[in-house]
Amino acid sequence: KAGVTQTPRYLIKTRGQQVTLSCSPISGHRSVSWYQQTPGQGLQFLFEYFSETQRNKGNFPGRFSGRQFSNSRSEMNVSTLELGDSALYLCASSLGTGWVQETQYFGPGTRLLVL
Amino acid sequence: AQTVTQSQPEMSVQEAETVTLSCTYDTSESDYYLFWYKQPPSRQMILVIRQEAYKQQNATENRFSVNFQKAAKSFSLKISDSQLGDAAMYFCAYRTYNNNDMRFGAGTRLTVKP
């Protein structure tokens, strides 16, 4: 099976712009979670989507949003970019059983630089 | 609040030796899962091992094992017979049945010396 793919891999934006990142989960996986990874804050949970619905949400401002399509692919959007949004954004897919022990499979990430 | 603490930002081990990475967590929950993830340089993060809180027996996966001390809220990872390919950032993570998001520690960068 192909792994989790994320596009684009690298992105440079300027403050005030918006950006959309894409994640394609492993075939058969219905849950997609998004994380932000920065040197200062580490890995922080953004949100999780399952069956096109947001099932769980982290503590991020409303500028961060996401959606999931019927084929389980997911996008996350960040509006009005700030310098502090520079980070590696990781997507993780899982079967979506809701079991807490369920393994998450991570993508390679999208590295966003905000200038 | 649920927090995960990895007190060792960096660790180093000689090839073929054993190294232990520390992790402590804070929670009021009684049932939860703990995980160790590995993130090699410029490569995808992968699950190394996981432990159910209600199981007393420590989880083992080949050269990787954990020392789970529930009362102390400690979850350390032991890597035996270290290999060059073990060099990576290691993240300890925690997940509860009530709140399904994964909480990660800050990570420990492991260097393996030949």
Side-chain angles (χ1 to χ4, degrees):
Chain A
K1 277 186 180 178
V4 179
T5 57
Q6 292 187 245
T7 56
R9 293 292 310 278
Y10 303 92
L11 207 49
I12 300 176
K13 292 285 187 179
T14 56
R15 277 181 300 174
Q17 286 187 310
Q18 74 165 21
V19 67
T20 299
L21 312 181
S22 179
C23 172
S24 292
I26 291 172
S27 177
H29 285 192
R30 298 170 64 193
S31 169
V32 173
S33 296
W34 288 90
Y35 296 86
Q36 182 195 64
Q37 185 177 17
T38 60
Q41 299 297 318
L43 272 156
Q44 293 185 283
F45 171 76
L46 280 155
F47 29 64
E48 180 204 5
Y49 283 86
F50 174 77
S51 289
E52 302 178 63
T53 301
Q54 188 180 87
R55 185 159 71 174
N56 208 354
K57 188 179 187 304
N59 190 26
F60 276 80
R63 299 186 298 107
F64 292 83
S65 63
R67 60 176 174 168
Q68 187 180 35
F69 301 94
S70 58
N71 62 357
S72 294
R73 188 178 70 85
S74 177
E75 289 181 347
M76 70 162 279
N77 184 276
V78 187
S79 62
T80 319
L81 283 166
E82 301 177 359
L83 295 179
D85 297 332
S86 295
L88 180 66
Y89 289 88
L90 294 172
C91 157
S93 82
S94 61
L95 287 170
T97 60
W99 297 339
V100 68
Q101 69 270 36
E102 190 173 83
T103 299
Q104 291 192 336
Y105 296 84
F106 285 81
T110 293
R111 188 165 295 281
L112 171 65
L113 177 62
V114 182
L115 301 176
Chain B
Q2 303 155 7
T3 59
V4 181
T5 302
Q6 293 179 249
S7 59
Q8 308 151 315
E10 295 185 359
M11 289 284 283
S12 178
V13 64
Q14 205 69 36
E15 195 175 6
E17 298 291 308
T18 295
V19 65
T20 298
L21 309 184
S22 301
C23 173
T24 58
Y25 57 94
D26 183 25
T27 183
S28 56
E29 303 284 340
S30 57
D31 287 329
Y32 47 87
Y33 262 80
L34 296 160
F35 306 82
W36 278 98
Y37 277 87
K38 168 186 176 181
Q39 188 178 39
S42 302
R43 292 180 63 187
Q44 289 162 244
M45 192 148 63
I46 57 173
L47 177 67
V48 175
I49 197 167
R50 63 182 157 212
Q51 172 81 40
E52 304 164 73
Y54 65 86
K55 281 192 175 180
Q56 292 185 334
Q57 186 173 5
N58 289 324
T60 299
E61 289 286 343
N62 300 313
R63 298 183 295 106
F64 298 87
S65 62
V66 299
N67 183 4
F68 174 49
Q69 303 288 329
K70 190 173 184 179
K73 296 180 182 175
S74 170
F75 182 60
S76 60
L77 174 69
K78 186 172 85 170
I79 306 174
S80 304
D81 185 25
S82 296
Q83 300 175 0
L84 296 178
D86 295 334
M89 279 290 285
Y90 285 82
F91 293 95
C92 176
Y94 162 99
R95 198 178 197 186
T96 70
Y97 288 88
N98 293 327
N99 190 5
N100 216 18
D101 60 311
M102 193 91 75
R103 302 293 175 102
F104 287 86
T108 296
R109 183 176 302 280
L110 178 66
T111 302
V112 181
K113 297 179 179 178

